[in-house]
Amino acid sequence: MSRPETKHDGLIVPPPATPSRSVSIFGATGSVGTSTLDLIRLNPSAYRIVALTANSDAEGLARLAREFSAEVAVIGDPARHDALVAALEGSGTRAWSGPQALLDAADLDADWTMAAIVGCAGLAPIMRSLLRGRSVALANKEALVSSGALMIEAARSSGATLLPVDSEHNAIFQCLAGASYDHVESITLTASGGPFRTWTHDQMRAARPDQAVAHPNWSMGAKISVDSATMFNKGLELIEAHHLFPVGLDAIRILVHPQSVIHSMVEYRDRSTLAQLGSPDMKIPIASALAWPQRIPTQCLPLDLATIGQLTFEPLDDVRFPGPGICRAAIAAGGGAPAILNAANEIAVAAFLAGEIGFLDIATIVSLVLAGYSPAEPQCLQDVLAIDSEARACATAAIRTRN
Ligand code: NAD
Ligand code: MG
């Protein structure tokens, strides 16, 4: 049915203008990166691709760069430079490599940048984009967890726009719709509970990497999938929310909601609660950030509540899932604790995926490293990177000692 044509001041919704933007995607070959490119494929003439980046998959990156006529393709691993040059031959796309090239790519003029590198490795390019005053769609939660107030200050001082992409934070962003934080009573982050929500402690002790990455609702990269299984993901998201939405740590709660239909909620002080709902498909929050403040169509499944039938909720079991509590304590402790926590978790997750430690050892390693030392509040990006690399060394040593 077509919409009524009658104009009515104050009620009429302007037709969505087709956004036309220049776009860079950091982490273009990953789960979030390829979902972003899938959305761009739906209307390619509306976008000009400036830079695409990847860590080591030179051939995959070159394929995307050719398809989207990217100006520049950047491979993080310098050892893959020649492979990228060869794969791009005759394409017109420039081939850059190495960590400095990621920063140079962030210097290029792009209206909108997707930050979808996994881990603290994505922090420096994000900071560079923000300091240039760009619009940055933030998927890379580890970068915000590690740098915290420094990233928010970089965005504020340059007038950059930080658009949350993590489904929970994008949901909160939509529910806030620019409202004053003075009116907000609480924020509830929903959590699916991951693949081990109903597992016993003993079952979790024996969990294998292939079981941990088999998320019941979402299809994601390996690292965030393991974080979802330990529920450190929800803890990292708690820290992320604390920085993005300054309502106070105590006002941010976690609620397990196994269907992943409600992506998060904002309760206002009049006790009105707004929630954002949708199919568990990252293309929905990515599309919201890509088109913001407009809306674009996606090919995502519509939400069919009659078929879903029931939405259920349960409290977090913080005995089987200590991750969120460890994260809450780290942000409350302040200083360099969140950066240490993030680095230790990245190393522990990689060790678990490599079969070097057990599933429950992840939280043990993170706690051990956090208890080891407490550096002062980082004052600049270099401080964060120094804390990150020291914590990685400590976590690696703790794993070696344990084994
Ligand atoms: P992924 O592993 O699928 O992709 C990661 C991307 O980063 C790849 O393009 C890879 O080449 C690149 N990369 C990895 N290490 C790098 C390095 N050292 N230097 C340069 N590039 C590097 O990860 P993902 O699932 O797409 O997640 C990306 C980020 O988005 C993570 O921070 C994750 O927590 C966040 N996120 C993901 C989802 C999801 O559904 N996948 C949802 C919410 C948030
Ligand atoms: Mg999330």
Side-chain angles (χ1 to χ4, degrees), residues 148-352:
L150 285 171
M151 183 184 288
I152 300 300
E153 187 44 39
R156 189 171 292 138
S157 66
S158 68
T161 304
L162 202 50
L163 296 163
V165 169
D166 214 345
S167 58
E168 297 76 3
H169 306 74
N170 185 265
I172 295 161
F173 180 70
Q174 294 194 47
C175 293
L176 284 169
S180 162
Y181 288 112
D182 290 344
H183 298 164
V184 175
E185 187 70 26
S186 70
I187 284 176
T188 298
L189 295 168
T190 52
S192 68
F196 303 150
R197 180 176 62 88
T198 58
W199 285 33
T200 65
H201 215 256
D202 283 339
Q203 287 174 309
M204 286 164 71
R205 193 183 314 283
R208 298 186 312 264
D210 62 305
Q211 295 170 312
V213 298
H215 197 281
N217 305 342
W218 299 92
S219 154
M220 310 182 284
K223 194 266 177 180
I224 185 177
S225 297
V226 175
D227 284 344
S228 298
T230 58
M231 293 196 72
F232 263 105
N233 183 50
K234 212 49 55 181
L236 299 176
E237 291 181 355
L238 176 78
I239 299 176
E240 191 184 5
H242 171 70
H243 292 300
L244 289 172
F245 312 115
V247 297
L249 195 55
D250 291 344
I252 307 177
R253 292 158 200 165
I254 293 171
L255 179 66
V256 176
H257 164 46
Q259 295 81 19
S260 298
V261 165
I262 295 181
H263 297 304
S264 277
M265 299 181 259
V266 175
E267 178 193 27
Y268 287 92
R269 63 182 181 186
D270 58 6
R271 299 295 178 196
S272 178
T273 297
L274 300 194
Q276 187 264 344
L277 286 70
S279 303
D281 185 335
M282 277 305 291
K283 285 186 193 127
I284 298 176
I286 295 169
S288 156
L290 180 60
W292 186 86
Q294 305 288 342
R295 297 271 182 180
I296 48 172
T298 69
Q299 291 180 336
C300 300
L301 292 176
L303 185 60
D304 181 356
L305 287 173
T307 299
I308 293 166
Q310 277 193 327
L311 300 183
T312 60
F313 306 94
E314 54 195 72
L316 171 73
D317 177 348
D318 50 16
V319 176
R320 282 183 309 129
F321 298 102
I326 295 171
C327 292
R328 196 179 278 276
I331 189 70
I340 296 171
L341 171 138
N342 177 69
N345 183 54
E346 284 193 35
I347 293 293
V349 169
F352 168 68

Side-chain angles (χ1 to χ4, degrees), residues 26-28 53 102 114-123 125-126 139-142:
F26 287 74
T53 86
L102 288 169
M114 168 54 83
I117 289 177
V118 60
C120 196
L123 173 59
I126 295 175
N140 181 194
K141 67 192 83 183
E142 297 91 347

Side-chain angles (χ1 to χ4, degrees), residues 19-25 37 40 43-52 65 67-72 94 108-113 290:
S20 174
R21 358 185 85 160
S22 53
V23 166
S24 286
I25 302 176
L37 288 166
I40 289 174
N43 190 7
S45 61
Y47 305 91
R48 182 171 63 82
I49 304 300
V50 179
L52 297 179
E67 178 187 349
F68 291 94
S69 306
E71 287 171 31
V72 176
R94 283 173 284 164
L108 298 173
D109 213 357
D111 299 331
W112 188 90
T113 296
L290 180 60

Side-chain angles (χ1 to χ4, degrees), residues 103 106 120-129 381 385:
L103 298 182
C120 196
L123 173 59
I126 295 175
M127 291 294 272
R128 184 66 75 96
S129 297
L381 174 61
L385 297 177

